[in-house]
Amino acid sequence: MLKIGVLVSGNGSNLQSLLDNIDNGNIDGEICVVISDKSGAYGLERAQKYGIPTFSFDRNKYSNGEINKRILKLLKDMDISLVVLAGFLSILSPEMINEYKNAIINIHPSLIPSFCGPGFYGIKVHENAIKYGVKVSGCTVHYVDEGTDTGPIILQSPVEVSDYDTPESLQKKILKHEHILLPKAVKLICEGRLRIVGRKVYIDEEV
Ligand code: GRF
């Protein structure tokens, strides 16, 4: 069974969607550790309710380099083979990305390559989408490489933007899709059904 580590900075609703899908047997994997760069993150509490070990290295206390070093050591010590960024805001170091090449995934609340990259996080993503006037936004699960939101795309889910949507209402609508998309991607990885060829991710048929 795949050993999964989840990194969170906040509420952890995406983490919850993974916990639910593992609980109901949809994902054949195990979340062995949840780590945060924010000590009060609610995601940590969610994990603790399941008896999952949690760690936090607060951004107010540790430098980005130190956070990365400590997280990498934990992941290695615990023999984690898949790292899921579920609303994790710190930048990953080149060492981390190198050690976990094609083994780190992220969920982003837009259809990449729109409204992504440096500075596009949280509500800002949706503010920009509304301001631009797009009729469709959505969410993306992708592999993490050295860039920001630039790795090969695994899955995307479109969401219609109505004339009356505000950044907050759009965020809410997209989050619901995220809770389906992220578990779907993790399930595919646990089943060994993803193949990366250049920028493309191929999904193998179920056997
Ligand atoms: C989600 O919108 C995710 O796409 C983004 O950060 C947010 C995290 O939400 N990367 P939650 O903490 O999982 O509720």
Side-chain angles (χ1 to χ4, degrees):
M1 201 187 283
L2 207 69
K3 288 183 156 192
I4 303 167
V6 182
L7 310 191
V8 298
S9 296
N11 181 25
S13 68
N14 278 291
L15 162 68
Q16 188 65 54
S17 73
L18 295 177
L19 291 166
D20 293 345
N21 275 274
I22 288 172
D23 239 21
N24 69 21
N26 187 38
I27 294 177
D28 189 22
E30 188 193 356
I31 297 177
C32 299
V33 65
V34 173
I35 310 172
S36 181
D37 58 356
K38 202 162 171 240
S39 29
Y42 184 57
L44 295 170
E45 235 175 271
R46 292 185 193 264
Q48 283 153 10
K49 283 189 190 142
Y50 288 74
I52 297 168
T54 61
F55 297 86
S56 69
F57 306 112
D58 201 287
R59 271 145 59 107
N60 294 322
K61 211 168 136 199
Y62 297 96
S63 68
N64 196 66
E66 193 62 29
I67 291 174
N68 269 275
K69 237 186 239 164
R70 287 177 187 244
I71 292 180
L72 184 56
K73 182 167 179 350
L74 265 175
L75 296 172
K76 286 267 153 204
D77 286 352
M78 297 184 87
D79 216 12
I80 299 297
S81 43
L82 173 67
V83 180
V84 180
L85 307 185
F88 186 67
L89 290 176
S90 291
I91 305 288
L92 295 190
S93 66
E95 292 76 40
M96 173 95 80
I97 289 163
N98 208 31
E99 281 282 339
Y100 277 92
K101 204 167 166 47
N102 297 337
I104 307 176
I105 65 169
N106 179 47
I107 176 124
H108 183 77
S110 76
L111 293 177
I112 289 175
S114 288
F115 310 114
C116 62
F120 284 91
Y121 61 88
I123 197 74
K124 290 181 192 198
V125 178
H126 310 293
E127 282 168 357
N128 278 281
I130 297 278
K131 214 185 330 166
Y132 199 94
V134 291
K135 302 292 186 190
V136 179
S137 190
C139 48
T140 303
V141 180
H142 63 93
Y143 282 107
V144 174
D145 65 8
E146 315 71 42
T148 308
D149 304 325
T150 53
I153 290 170
I154 301 171
L155 293 171
Q156 293 189 297
S157 181
V159 175
E160 259 185 50
V161 182
S162 90
D163 294 350
Y164 309 102
D165 266 321
T166 60
E168 289 75 19
S169 70
L170 182 59
Q171 182 178 46
K172 237 184 181 167
K173 279 205 288 197
I174 292 178
L175 201 54
K176 277 197 191 145
H177 286 249
E178 294 183 37
H179 297 159
I180 298 167
L181 202 69
L182 183 62
K184 207 168 161 186
V186 171
K187 181 180 166 71
L188 287 168
I189 293 170
C190 287
E191 292 171 352
R193 290 173 56 198
L194 297 186
R195 261 180 312 120
I196 310 174
V197 183
R199 279 209 53 80
K200 274 203 165 181
V201 178
Y202 292 90
I203 301 174
D204 290 333
E205 290 296 315
E206 212 168 349
V207 278

